[in-house]
C-alpha cells in the first residue's frame, strides 16, 4: 500500500449497550490485515469500547433510539478511529477528562474512559457541544512506524 493510500470503513448502530461488543469486533476485523501486535489490537478494542460506551451511557443517557457512528481508517503509518453521537454533549469537557470523574456514579462508572483512551492512543481530540453531540477522534501510530510519526 502506498503511504498516501487509506482504507476506510464506517458503520452506524443503535445506542444499545449490546452493540459495544459489535463495534469492538467490527473494528478489529477491519484492522486484521494489518501487521499489528496482539497488544495493539487489544488497546484499539479497549478504546473503541470506551468511546462507544460513553456515547451510549452519557451521550444518549441509554436512550436506545440514538445512533452511534464509528469510522475507522488506516494507512501504513497510522490508524484513525472516530466515534460520533448526536446526544446531549458534554457540559464541561475539562472536568470530564479528569481521571475518576463520572456523571453516573450510581451506575458504578469508574470515570476512566478518557484517561484510558489517551493512554492507549497517540492522539485524542474531542469536539462537543451541549445538545450537539460529541465526536472523539483517536489516532494510533503503528509500532513499526511510530518513530517516523513523532
Amino acid at each position: 500500500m502506498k503511504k498516501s493510500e487509506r482504507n476506510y470503513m464506517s458503520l452506524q448502530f443503535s445506542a444499545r449497550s449490546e452493540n459495544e461488543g459489535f463495534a469492538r469486533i467490527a473494528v478489529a476485523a477491519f484492522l486484521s490485515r494489518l501487521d499489528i501486535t496482539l497488544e495493539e489490537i487489544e488497546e484499539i478494542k479497549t478504546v473503541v469500547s470506551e468511546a462507544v460506551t460513553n456515547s451510549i451511557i452519557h451521550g444518549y443517557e441509554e436512550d436506545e433510539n440514538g445512533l452511534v457512528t464509528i469510522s475507522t481508517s488506516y494507512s501504513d503509518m497510522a490508524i484513525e478511529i472516530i466515534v460520533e453521537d448526536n446526544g446531549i454533549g458534554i457540559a464541561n469537557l475539562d472536568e470530564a477528562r479528569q481521571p475518576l470523574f463520572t456523571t453516573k456514579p450510581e451506575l458504578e462508572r469508574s470515570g476512566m474512559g478518557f484517561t484510558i483512551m489517551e493512554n492507549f492512543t497517540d492522539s485524542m481530540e474531542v469536539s462537543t457541544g451541549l445538545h450537539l453531540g460529541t465526536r472523539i477522534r483517536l489516532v494510533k501510530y503503528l509500532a513499526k512506524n511510530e518513530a517516523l510519526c513523532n
Side-chain angles (χ1 to χ4, degrees):
M1 180 183 302
K2 295 177 187 170
K3 286 188 181 190
S4 62
E5 289 184 26
R6 295 194 70 73
N7 194 6
Y8 173 84
M9 74 94 178
S10 180
L11 50 97
Q12 192 172 59
F13 49 89
S14 298
R16 299 172 63 117
S17 292
E18 65 256 31
N19 287 337
E20 174 269 327
F22 164 69
R24 285 172 55 98
I25 291 168
V27 170
F30 178 70
L31 299 175
S32 66
R33 72 167 300 277
L34 295 175
D35 182 22
I36 57 179
T37 67
L38 184 58
E39 180 181 351
E40 287 172 315
I41 200 69
E42 288 303 317
E43 289 175 352
I44 290 164
K45 287 166 57 178
T46 299
V47 300
V48 167
S49 289
E50 293 295 336
V52 168
T53 298
N54 278 355
S55 288
I56 293 168
I57 302 279
H58 301 289
Y60 290 116
E61 297 186 315
E62 300 188 69
D63 176 359
E64 295 179 351
N65 293 311
L67 293 173
V68 178
T69 302
I70 186 163
S71 305
T72 305
S73 64
Y74 65 82
S75 66
D76 61 344
M77 300 293 283
I79 297 164
E80 177 185 67
I81 300 164
I82 298 172
V83 177
E84 299 176 275
D85 66 61
N86 293 310
I88 64 169
I90 301 170
N92 184 332
L93 183 56
D94 290 334
E95 185 177 50
R97 291 180 78 159
Q98 295 302 311
L100 305 178
F101 175 81
T102 182
T103 59
K104 304 283 185 195
E106 70 280 7
L107 297 178
E108 298 183 21
R109 309 303 305 167
S110 69
M112 295 297 290
F114 282 132
T115 302
I116 290 168
M117 287 184 262
E118 286 179 311
N119 285 328
F120 285 171
T121 61
D122 296 297
S123 171
M124 181 180 84
E125 299 167 10
V126 181
S127 305
T128 189
L130 282 180
H131 308 291
L132 298 175
T134 301
R135 178 182 189 267
I136 300 172
R137 179 180 177 265
L138 304 160
V139 175
K140 183 159 185 70
Y141 299 123
L142 299 177
K144 63 183 180 183
N145 294 312
E146 192 167 348
L148 299 172
C149 298
N150 290 325

